[in-house]
Amino acid sequence: MPVSASCTHRPWRHFTSVFGRAFIFICAALALLYSPVLCSAAEVHGVVTDSTGAKVPGANVVLISKGKVVGSSVSHSDGSFEILTGTSGRFFLLISAKTFRQLQTPDFYAGRFQSVERSIVLEPAWVHQSIVVAATGTPTPQPQTSSATTVLGPIDLAQRISLVNSLRFMPGTFITQTGQRGAQTSVFVRGGDSDDNMVLLDGVDIGDLGNQFDFGPFSTTGIERAEIYRGPDSNLYGAGAMTSVVSMTTPRGTTSFPSLLFQGSGGNFNTSREDLELAGARGRLDYLGNYSWLQTSNALPNDQYHLGSAVANLGWQPSASTQIRGVAHYLVDGTGDPNAWAFYHVADDATQKDQNIYFSGSIANQTTSSFHNTVHYGLVRKREQYYLWKQSGSGDFDAYGDSLGYPVTITGANGYSASGQAVLDYAQTYPYQYQLDSNRDELLYNGDLTFTPHLAGLIGFEYEDERGLQYVPTYSTYETTERTNYNYLASVHGDFKTRFFYTLGGSLEHYSLFGTQTTPRAGVSFYALKPRSGVFSGTQILFNYGDAVREPTLTDEFGSLYHFLVANGYSSVVSQLQIGPLSAPQVRMYEGGFAQSFLSDHISFRATYFHNQFGREIEYVGGHILPSILPGLTAAEQQQLEAALGYYYSDDYGLAVNSEAFRAQGVEASVESGIGRNIFLRGGYTYLDAVVQRSFDSDNEALLGGSEPTYNGIPIGAISPLVGARPFRRAPNSGYFSATYAGKRLTGIFNSSFVSRSDDSTYLEYADQYGGNSLLLPNRNLDHGYAELDLGGSFRLFSWMDIFAQANNLASNQHIAPIGYVSLPMNVRGGLRLRWGIGNH
């Protein structure tokens, strides 16, 4: 029987004797003396519901502290439970109910006289329906949101050293890595550009200014969980969340004793990785420290890679209702940059280095049972340095002194081919150095208020101070910028009778770079058939709408075509070509679909149609081509323009302009199923139909004297796609399949991803041995399709020792990377995981 939280005094039998009256007096005095203590005993209470919000009666709720049961309860008919305990310290709840997966809550601190609310959401035993935050800004069960959100948990990340491969195994997501381990990695979601994703770590935006984020050198060290929300969400997160939000969280110490974990592994290509973690909790304090070191030679010359990651997470709970936390990540890496090996057959003598610091400080307070406040301070310090130490090449040079690669034949997946020698390094002063810094300080406030059990609201404010630097000493270029941004947001989330769920929100955003924007968002879902037992055990109809914007990147701002032309006296060209100052790229999304459960929630299927309209997208005009396409320039004026362009011309960098618009629509389908309680299967397929509607290459280059390159009469978009073509590096067909086994001693996971051919360019514009375009190929289906197969697992030999292994790219597919780049062949890594702590004895 559950223990009641209330204290009552029972009537005593009337004594007529003096002794009896004295006894009553003494007992009453003692009761009055100790009743405040008894009535103020620590209480843990809450409500148990399923993922749709329906109450779950009869659930067993157990309160555990220091490995011992200190209280228990059974949820009532309304799902509520109460547990009293006379002790203080750190606790967690263990909840179990028929047809649901057993759940363990995060641990929490409670004093002896404090009341703690911990409401519980159970998920079905056979499929995964996690609590997500990225969709609504507050913890919400997945079935209560209309949005598409995928969660990567500890078992998905356990053997990984980066997120690159894990991100391939979800709908609507396409990954390109221009090389091998550590190489630049971009994520394209639902047809959007790679800069359209907001990346968060512990609630803090960790992308570069303008949202660039390189997943290649980002480590999984200190990452416990990742949510990937697909769709625009600028109304919650500001500029940047155009097509997705990738939100990662850092684990924290939970054991009542210091726990030490060491992992050491080695593999082919001279790969080794060591990882050491110390974590625990004592009283009001929890702590975690984690450090890892990875090094590998990769499979190409000049492509060595190393990555060091350090993580610290410190939390303090002065009371059960208040938590103060600080989390810091420090990553330093260095990798060779051999360039596109297949185009040259000789490697650049170049290195890329990154030093990144991320810090999140937060104070969270449960002010009342229905009002929760969080204040976040975020700090980001990112430095990217590129060095080209000397001019490399085959020994052959063109007429301008530019070094050439070896003679090659380039063959695209579309069957077209070209032969020749490509310019590898331009004639300039060496070593060539390029540095890009992104610094951000942000302050965020979120307050969520539960008006009723069926209606909750969220208000928020965000302030950002961003500073950026671009430094190119070879060309005496030193440019800086500072941006001050504000964002006010409000949203509501609720339901009617746990059948109709909705989210409505919007934000007012002011950005110093492009002014004020508003970004609304709405999502609704309706259970046409509420969850139940049977073959068809739940049908949900889904719809979403949203607008979003993003800031131009640092390189876009510094390399604005408009800014360059105006600054160098070409205002007439600006008017003639209708080029304006850089503004915010934007997207508008419509999404509709359904989710269907089968066989009493043993199988879950979801299908969604999405339609994204992208406008004011930024594309790039090659610095090398610019002097030849500007109208009316004499030969002398062209030379003056080349000198003014500096490294944009010498290194053929692009200048940015808001000239691209495209539409991306498609269908996502995914299915999940559990077999028993140990096997989990997941698969998905995405069809993407993306078409460019406006392009600088089509709108201007072809109009200025027919300078657009061709291949046997086929027009080519050398730097950006042409009107009517697909955006580059976004495959029209992609899919994945994953199978996971999690037993008491053995864990195994098999992942496979499949991608069709995609459009691209060799980007070798004016880059053959004669300064021509003979090494350009038709864009259509230029990149190869591929299948990637991964296998990993671990086995517990003893309570304190596991062995594990991970094998990636089992088929040694060389075409996972875009054309010109060679993928890492099959790579295998195995090692030991050792644990020390009181719990092991």
Side-chain angles (χ1 to χ4, degrees), residues 463-476:
Y463 166 79
E464 289 182 333
D465 179 38
E466 300 179 319
R467 287 91 61 202
L469 162 70
Q470 179 176 253
Y471 177 45
V472 189
T474 303
Y475 294 94
S476 302

Side-chain angles (χ1 to χ4, degrees), residues 263-378:
Q263 300 181 77
S265 63
N268 58 344
F269 303 112
N270 303 304
T271 301
S272 65
R273 185 174 187 261
E274 297 78 37
D275 187 296
L276 183 64
E277 176 184 289
L278 175 66
R282 183 176 179 85
R284 304 172 189 269
L285 182 73
D286 65 79
Y287 55 90
L288 178 139
N290 198 178
Y291 177 77
S292 72
W293 176 261
L294 166 72
Q295 60 183 18
T296 181
S297 65
N298 283 319
L300 292 175
N302 296 344
D303 201 14
Q304 296 84 2
Y305 170 57
H306 67 261
L307 170 63
S309 305
V311 180
N313 187 348
L314 191 64
W316 182 56
Q317 288 186 262
S319 69
S321 60
T322 302
Q323 181 177 112
I324 302 172
R325 183 165 300 281
V327 187
H329 287 246
Y330 174 65
L331 294 89
V332 56
D333 74 273
T335 182
D337 192 348
N339 211 322
W341 171 266
F343 292 162
Y344 312 103
H345 287 182
V346 61
D348 256 339
D349 186 7
T351 56
Q352 170 82 39
K353 299 180 180 180
D354 301 278
Q355 300 93 34
N356 300 327
I357 299 174
Y358 310 124
F359 175 77
S360 168
S362 64
I363 301 176
N365 176 257
Q366 190 72 47
T367 310
T368 69
S369 60
S370 59
F371 188 34
H372 178 259
N373 293 276
T374 303
V375 177
H376 251 113
Y377 165 69

Side-chain angles (χ1 to χ4, degrees), residues 50-54 124 129 143 498-499 501 527-534 536-540 597 600-601:
D50 66 13
S51 55
T52 69
Q129 296 177 347
T498 65
R499 194 179 191 108
F501 298 90
Y527 272 101
L529 179 64
K530 294 196 71 172
R532 62 179 184 178
S533 299
F536 296 96
S537 47
T539 304
Q540 192 176 18
S597 297
S600 303
D601 266 337

Side-chain angles (χ1 to χ4, degrees), residues 407-464:
V408 296
T409 296
I410 302 171
T411 303
N414 52 19
Y416 293 105
S417 63
S419 298
Q421 289 180 273
V423 173
L424 177 60
D425 293 329
Y426 293 104
Q428 59 184 0
T429 303
Y430 289 91
Y432 169 81
Q433 178 184 349
Y434 178 87
Q435 179 175 320
L436 196 68
D437 291 0
S438 289
N439 299 322
R440 180 186 298 110
D441 292 275
E442 61 180 328
L443 184 67
L444 305 96
Y445 164 76
N446 281 332
D448 56 271
L449 177 63
T450 302
F451 299 101
T452 74
H454 301 283
L455 177 63
L458 176 72
I459 57 172
F461 170 75
E462 178 184 7
Y463 166 79
E464 289 182 333

Side-chain angles (χ1 to χ4, degrees), residues 12 53 58 60 62 66 208 229 233 244 253 336 387 421 462 480 531 594 597 619 640 672 724 789 802 807 815 822:
W12 291 86
N60 293 306
V62 179
K66 298 180 180 179
D208 295 357
Y229 164 90
D233 214 353
S244 80
Y387 298 90
Q421 289 180 273
E462 178 184 7
T480 62
F594 71 95
S597 297
E619 58 181 340
Q640 292 175 0
E672 297 181 355
L789 309 176
D802 297 350
H815 294 299
V822 179

